[in-house]
Amino acid sequence: MLTPIFDPHFSGASFGFRPGRSAHRAVQVARRAVDDGLCWVVDVDLDRFFDRVQFDVFMARVARKVDDRRLLKFIRRYLEAGVMVDGVKLATEEGMPQGSPLSPILSNMMLDDLDRELWQRGHRFVR
């Protein structure tokens, strides 16, 4: 349900976990940029980035494009579902679960503003 709402509006530089895009295509685009004269390639590791996502900030981004309160409630409940540690359920107050089928689209939704900011500042990049 989220992909048709968000994916068409994601930055053209975003290749991660998107329909019709791949890491191979991202490498082709990066190689073309180098052939065009760019001389820097930067690999950014978003270590623990998704562990620190604030639920309210993320939900505000989602609500910009999603009017369906049931869908918003579902996403919020997914974020707040908690984690199991040694058989005990612990509450989650921040962070975005990774590894589920929903994770890639949520991650791209979170990174889209960063993509747009970099693009507006004139940075050519591939993510």
Side-chain angles (χ1 to χ4, degrees), residues 55-56 58-59 62 69-83 89-93 95-97 102 106:
F55 295 156
D56 291 338
F58 178 72
M59 291 305 299
V62 176
R69 292 204 182 274
R70 293 175 302 159
L71 183 55
L72 292 171
K73 184 177 178 180
F74 171 79
I75 295 169
R76 172 66 83 155
R77 289 181 70 202
Y78 171 78
L79 294 173
E80 294 175 345
V83 295
K89 180 184 173 192
L90 301 177
T92 49
E93 297 177 10
M96 186 174 293
L102 193 53
L106 297 182

Side-chain angles (χ1 to χ4, degrees), residues 8-15 18 21 29 112 115-116 119 125-127:
H9 305 286
F10 286 151
S11 163
S14 169
F15 286 83
R18 293 186 57 201
R21 293 176 176 250
V29 170
D112 191 54
D115 292 346
R116 292 185 183 290
W119 194 263
F125 69 97
V126 175
R127 178 181 65 79

